[in-house]
Amino acid sequence: KMYISFMLREYEQMNAFAETFFEFNLRTWTLMYHDTAHSFYGGLVSFWMYRQSNDPKWASRGRKALIAMKKWSESSAHNFQHKAYLLEAEEAFCNNDIESAKSLYEKAVSTAREHRFINEEALACELAGNFFLEVEMKDTAMEYFMQAHQRYHDWGAVAKSNALFEFVQRALGPSPSLGIGSSLTCPNYHWNVNTNQRKREAPNYRNNSRS
């Protein structure tokens, strides 16, 4: 449930499920890391929640997940290196370390692609898009969102790719042309947005309200 709420950017549910998750594992943090997927997404949720709340407990939780992921990547770079890069990029985003975040998001995307983790390549592209949207680099954000949309669709997550499309339409606004010389289609939508317009909002893929 924490994973689903994170993927759909439902903040109230994400916060509730994450609190339950970390409370349950508070006394067994080492055991929790045997489930690497839970640790990975728990770290991503923590950094995301920190940016929404500025509560230092979320930064601490994300940092612990990052430390564990780096340790695992020493044993199996193929499985964990891209995850470590993505957590590190999210931490840099939290710390307003723009240059480091730029580099780390690209490393996360390229490494996930190289290691053929298509779902996590899509996620890395999406989170990179959110980062570049926030720092007002709209053309770069659009490039990453387009990659995320395509990779989610390739993975078979059509509902997720459609939800991402709708969010970008709200965030960047529709236009007769894409504005960066390319376009994207999928069974339900023609991707068509203008990177010169943006309504500032926290991503929420269910509806148009600010969470």
Side-chain angles (χ1 to χ4, degrees), residues 101-117:
K102 288 179 184 177
S103 174
L104 288 162
Y105 281 118
E106 178 53 39
K107 286 180 179 179
V109 171
S110 62
T111 307
R113 181 183 302 125
E114 178 184 351
H115 295 166
R116 300 183 182 277
F117 286 86

Side-chain angles (χ1 to χ4, degrees), residues 67-78 80-81 84:
I67 291 170
M69 202 61 62
K70 283 184 172 182
K71 183 182 235 181
W72 288 331
S73 70
E74 293 173 1
S75 300
S76 179
H78 179 87
F80 300 117
Q81 186 65 74

Side-chain angles (χ1 to χ4, degrees), residues 3-139:
Y3 166 78
I4 292 172
S5 62
F6 173 71
M7 294 300 288
L8 294 175
R9 306 300 184 263
E10 296 176 328
Y11 294 108
E12 290 185 6
Q13 295 92 324
M14 190 191 308
N15 182 59
F17 291 134
E19 287 286 11
T20 300
F21 173 75
F22 284 108
E23 180 180 354
F24 179 76
N25 287 281
L26 186 62
R27 292 183 298 275
T28 58
W29 189 269
T30 302
L31 293 177
M32 180 187 72
Y33 281 150
H34 287 292
D35 189 335
T36 59
H38 285 173
S39 180
F40 175 53
Y41 286 104
L44 292 177
V45 166
S46 295
F47 286 132
W48 193 280
M49 291 303 303
Y50 175 70
R51 291 197 297 274
Q52 303 308 310
S53 68
N54 291 318
D55 187 335
K57 74 180 178 185
W58 292 111
S60 176
R61 289 167 173 175
R63 182 65 184 167
K64 288 178 181 178
L66 172 57
I67 291 170
M69 202 61 62
K70 283 184 172 182
K71 183 182 235 181
W72 288 331
S73 70
E74 293 173 1
S75 300
S76 179
H78 179 87
N79 289 316
F80 300 117
Q81 186 65 74
H82 64 283
K83 294 179 176 71
Y85 282 143
L86 188 54
L87 286 168
E88 199 169 4
E90 288 286 283
E91 182 180 51
F93 185 6
C94 290
N95 293 333
N96 202 32
D97 186 349
I98 305 302
E99 293 307 313
S100 292
K102 288 179 184 177
S103 174
L104 288 162
Y105 281 118
E106 178 53 39
K107 286 180 179 179
V109 171
S110 62
T111 307
R113 181 183 302 125
E114 178 184 351
H115 295 166
R116 300 183 182 277
F117 286 86
I118 187 171
N119 58 320
E120 289 168 359
E121 179 190 348
L123 178 59
C125 287
E126 179 187 356
L127 295 182
N130 289 330
F131 162 74
F132 283 106
L133 193 62
E134 184 64 28
V135 299
E136 301 288 351
M137 297 180 64
K138 294 186 282 289
D139 285 351

